[in-house]
Amino acid sequence: MTIESGQIQRAIKLAERRTGLNWSVFVGDLGTEPRTEALTRHGALGPAAAESVLVAVDPAHRKLEIVTGARARKRLDDRSCALAAASMAGTFAVRDLDGGIARGILALVEHVRRG
């Protein structure tokens, strides 16, 4: 699914400017193994995957995955991703998908260590 939300696009631009990492969002069906599908989509970013963060959301099945590449992972730890995921899930619960994703990205940005 193409992300057309201005709110999400602004969050991605800000995240890239502040962190130097590549950020992307996927919203759609993550299948029966959401983590595996998210990892596959992250890998499809090619050479940029190492410095990329992918936020993958399957609203129909209430699944959320955050995938960090090898270099991005050194600057953004699992605990920070879990905190951002919890924040996003809370916003999704009130049916604000775009706002939840955007706020989640901005929460992640706050936890990225300088490279």
Side-chain angles (χ1 to χ4, degrees), residues 6-84:
Q7 192 174 15
I8 294 172
Q9 290 176 346
R10 284 188 299 278
I12 288 172
K13 286 180 184 177
L14 178 70
E16 289 178 342
R17 198 169 48 247
R18 285 195 182 167
T19 67
L21 297 173
N22 302 309
W23 295 77
S24 58
V25 173
F26 170 79
V27 176
D29 186 10
L30 291 172
T32 58
E33 296 198 29
R35 185 69 182 171
T36 301
E37 181 64 22
L39 289 167
T40 299
R41 290 184 175 279
H42 184 266
L45 298 171
E51 294 186 38
S52 295
V53 179
L54 169 67
V55 176
V57 181
D58 182 339
H61 297 103
R62 297 180 182 210
K63 300 293 180 186
L64 167 65
E65 296 289 338
I66 299 171
V67 181
T68 54
R71 288 193 288 275
R73 192 172 308 116
K74 292 177 183 177
R75 298 181 54 207
L76 184 62
D77 61 29
D78 289 343
R79 182 176 179 280
S80 298
C81 291
L83 289 170

Side-chain angles (χ1 to χ4, degrees), residues 1 4 23 31 33-34 38 55 75 78 87 94 98 104 108 114:
M1 173 181 203
E4 295 180 9
W23 295 77
E33 296 198 29
V55 176
R75 298 181 54 207
D78 289 343
S87 170
V94 296
D98 292 352
L108 288 166
R114 296 203 182 269

